[in-house]
C-alpha cells in the first residue's frame, strides 16, 4: 500500500496553477512532500496517545486506535536482529525512528531487556543482588556520530550475554519521497520516482498540506485558507 506521488503532484499542480497562482518546481514539490510526510508520520504517535485516553469504541471499522495502528503498521518491525554487533554493544538500523522492546533470546525463551540510564547502571553493577543477569538483562542507550549520521547504539549487560541473540522491535522512518523528472525537460520519470509510504487514505490530506505550504511560499492567502478549511473539515469529521 502506498500513495502515488505522481497522482499527488498532478493534483497539487492543477490546484496551484488555477487562476495563475503560480507553478511549483519539481525540486520545491519534493522538498514540501517530504516535509509533509514526516509531519504526518510524527503526528500518528501523538494521535495514538490521545486516542488511547478516550473511551474506546469496538465497532469494526471505526475504532480510532485500530485506524492509527493500521497506518503505523507498515513501518513496524518485530524481533529484528540489530544492524551490527561489537563486544556487548549493538547498533540499531539507520532508519530507526522509535525503538520498541529489546529481547535476549536464550534457551527458547525471550527475556525482556530493560532500559536504564548510565547512572543507574553504575549502581546496579556495584550491587551483588541487583546486578544484571542473563535472565534479567539491561541496556543503556548511546549515540555516535559517523559522518553526518547519528547512530543509536545499545550497551547490553551483563557482558556475558551472547550478543548475537539480541533482538528488538522498532518503527522505521518513512523513505524519502521523490517525484522523478528529467532535469532538462522536467517530464515525469517513473524510474527515479519514490512514492509516499503513508496509508492510501492519506492522499487527500497530503495534497491539502502541501497546498498549505505552497500558499505560504507563493504568498497566496486564499490558497492557504482553502486548504486549511478542508483540513479543519476533516478534523471535525474525525472528532464526531
Amino acid at each position: 500500500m502506498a500513495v502515488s506521488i505522481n497522482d499527488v503532484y498532478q493534483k497539487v499542480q492543477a490546484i496551484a496553477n488555477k487562476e495563475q497562482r503560480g507553478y511549483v518546481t519539481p525540486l520545491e514539490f519534493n522538498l514540501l512532500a517530504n516535509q509533509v510526510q514526516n509531519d504526518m508520520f510524527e503526528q500518528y504517535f501523538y494521535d495514538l496517545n490521545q486516542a488511547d485516553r478516550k473511551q474506546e469504541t469496538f465497532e469494526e471499522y471505526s475504532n480510532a486506535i485500530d485506524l492509527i495502528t493500521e497506518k503505523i503498521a507498515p513501518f513496524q518491525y518485530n524481533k529484528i536482529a540489530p544492524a551490527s554487533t561489537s563486544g556487548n554493544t549493538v547498533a540499531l538500523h539507520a532508519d530507526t525512528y522509535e525503538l520498541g522492546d529489546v529481547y535476549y533470546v536464550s534457551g527458547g525463551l525471550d527475556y525482556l531487556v530493560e532500559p536504564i540510564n548510565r547512572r543507574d547502571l553504575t549502581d546496579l553493577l556495584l550491587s551483588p543482588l541487583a546486578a544484571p543477569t542473563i535472565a534479567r538483562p539491561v541496556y543503556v542507550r548511546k549515540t555516535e556520530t559517523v559522518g553526518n549520521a547519528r547512530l543509536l547504539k545499545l550497551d547490553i549487560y551483563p557482558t556475558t550475554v551472547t550478543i548475537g541473540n539480541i533482538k528488538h522491535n522498532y518503527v522505521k522512518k518513512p523513505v524519502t519521497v521523490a517525484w522523478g523528472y528529467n532535469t532538462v525537460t522536467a517530464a515525469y520519470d517513473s524510474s527515479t520516482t519514490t512514492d509516499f509510504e503513508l496509508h492510501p487514505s492519506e492522499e487527500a490530506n497530503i495534497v491539502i498540506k502541501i497546498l498549505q505550504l505552497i500558499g505560504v511560499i507563493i504568498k497566496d492567502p486564499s490558497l492557504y485558507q482553502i486548504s486549511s478549511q478542508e483540513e479543519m473539515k476533516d478534523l471535525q469529521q474525525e472528532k464526531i
Side-chain angles (χ1 to χ4, degrees):
M1 294 190 300
V3 176
S4 167
I5 193 170
N6 187 46
D7 288 349
V8 172
Y9 179 83
Q10 298 301 332
K11 292 173 183 177
V12 166
Q13 291 290 15
I15 298 172
N17 286 334
K18 188 177 181 181
E19 298 176 1
Q20 289 75 50
R21 284 190 169 104
Y23 175 77
V24 180
T25 68
L27 178 59
E28 291 173 330
F29 173 83
N30 285 337
L31 291 173
L32 298 181
N34 279 288
Q35 177 66 48
V36 166
Q37 176 173 245
N38 291 336
D39 288 347
M40 292 178 65
F41 178 71
E42 291 177 5
Q43 187 62 42
Y44 288 158
F45 298 90
Y46 296 106
D47 292 343
L48 185 61
N49 180 270
Q50 185 177 21
D52 196 38
R53 299 179 184 179
K54 296 181 179 179
Q55 183 175 358
E56 190 172 3
T57 174
F58 294 96
E59 293 295 329
E60 185 175 5
Y61 298 112
S62 61
N63 184 294
I65 294 178
D66 287 349
L67 293 174
I68 299 170
T69 53
E70 181 181 345
K71 293 178 181 180
I72 297 175
F75 304 94
Q76 288 183 304
Y77 290 90
N78 297 319
K79 298 290 181 66
I80 298 297
S84 63
T85 62
S86 177
N88 70 313
T89 300
V90 300
L92 303 187
H93 298 270
D95 63 354
T96 298
Y97 173 79
E98 190 76 33
L99 176 64
D101 289 333
V102 179
Y103 303 92
Y104 177 60
V105 181
S106 178
L109 298 175
D110 293 346
Y111 298 101
L112 186 64
V113 187
E114 295 286 348
I116 62 171
N117 59 47
R118 187 71 62 179
R119 181 176 179 178
D120 290 340
L121 174 65
T122 301
D123 294 335
L124 288 180
L125 294 178
L126 293 174
S127 171
L129 296 178
T133 65
I134 294 296
R136 193 164 32 85
V138 299
Y139 73 84
V140 177
R141 297 171 66 128
K142 66 180 182 181
T143 56
E144 292 184 4
T145 302
V146 179
N148 294 326
R150 294 179 69 250
L151 299 180
L152 177 60
K153 296 186 175 183
L154 309 178
D155 288 336
I156 311 294
Y157 296 90
T159 57
T160 53
V161 299
T162 303
I163 203 66
N165 289 356
I166 295 295
K167 307 290 182 183
H168 69 287
N169 303 338
Y170 81 101
V171 176
K172 78 177 189 70
K173 303 171 185 175
V175 297
T176 300
V177 299
W179 186 78
Y181 62 98
N182 184 296
T183 56
V184 177
T185 64
Y188 176 62
D189 181 1
S190 61
S191 66
T192 59
T193 290
T194 303
D195 289 328
F196 293 93
E197 288 191 305
L198 300 180
H199 194 276
S201 66
E202 297 287 30
E203 181 174 334
N205 290 331
I206 294 172
V207 172
I208 289 170
K209 290 180 180 298
I210 292 177
L211 287 171
Q212 286 179 333
L213 295 179
I214 292 174
V216 174
I217 291 174
I218 66 177
K219 299 180 180 179
D220 186 341
S222 63
L223 182 60
Y224 180 85
Q225 289 170 0
I226 292 172
S227 55
S228 294
Q229 288 169 1
E230 288 297 320
E231 183 178 30
M232 288 300 299
K233 187 187 301 181
D234 290 343
L235 289 174
Q236 290 173 355
Q237 289 175 343
E238 290 175 4
K239 293 179 179 180
I240 293 176

